Amino acid sequence: MDAKHLYEMLKKTQEPKGYYFNKDIERVMDLMQALLVNKSRYGYMGCPCRLLSADKENDRDIVCPCVYRVPDVAEYGSCYCNLYVSREWNDGEIAHDYVPERRPPEKMLF
């Protein structure tokens, strides 16, 4: 699978849920490629913006789309990576504030 195919597949499943890809297509394609690298390297599409432990159970919360996407998009209009965003974020109707890390520090120790 290539980045474009992954993009099309995820777009079809995520947009009906209200999650859109960032309109910066170059950034999105870089993130799609990074997801594919993580899939090849670890066997799962871990968040490309976080350090993976190579332990799927430990990383379950950051398998894309991560569990933090819902509260991030609800509060900031964007997930931590700026991959998934709200329509309002893409349309410039809300500020593009920094999205802080929600993952508990103890999950990052491995």
Side-chain angles (χ1 to χ4, degrees), residues 3-4 6-8 10-11 20-35 48 81-85 89-90:
K4 181 69 173 165
L6 179 60
Y7 171 86
E8 293 299 333
L10 292 174
K11 183 176 179 171
Y20 302 88
F21 284 126
N22 187 327
K23 66 181 179 182
D24 180 348
I25 196 69
E26 186 175 332
R27 175 168 175 75
V28 169
M29 286 303 155
D30 286 346
L31 291 169
M32 292 290 117
Q33 188 59 44
L35 286 169
C81 295
N82 302 134
L83 175 61
Y84 288 107
V85 300
W89 193 93
N90 258 346

Side-chain angles (χ1 to χ4, degrees), residues 14 17 19-20 50 61 64-75 78-80 84-85 102:
Q14 300 305 309
K17 298 175 185 177
Y19 298 101
Y20 302 88
R50 293 179 169 103
D61 62 323
C64 190
C66 73
V67 301
Y68 310 106
R69 176 184 73 168
V70 173
D72 285 352
V73 173
E75 186 172 348
S78 172
C79 72
Y80 183 68
Y84 288 107
V85 300
R102 289 183 191 267

Side-chain angles (χ1 to χ4, degrees), residues 44 46 50-63 67-68 103-110:
Y44 53 95
R50 293 179 169 103
L51 186 59
L52 303 177
S53 70
D55 176 347
K56 188 174 183 178
E57 189 56 38
N58 183 67
D59 292 342
R60 188 166 303 283
D61 62 323
I62 57 170
V63 171
V67 301
Y68 310 106
R103 192 171 198 221
E106 61 271 13
K107 293 286 285 180
M108 295 184 251
L109 302 175
F110 43 87

Side-chain angles (χ1 to χ4, degrees), residues 1-7 9-10 33 36 39 45:
M1 177 182 318
D2 65 5
K4 181 69 173 165
H5 184 255
L6 179 60
Y7 171 86
M9 185 179 71
L10 292 174
Q33 188 59 44
L36 292 171
K39 172 77 170 166
M45 290 195 304

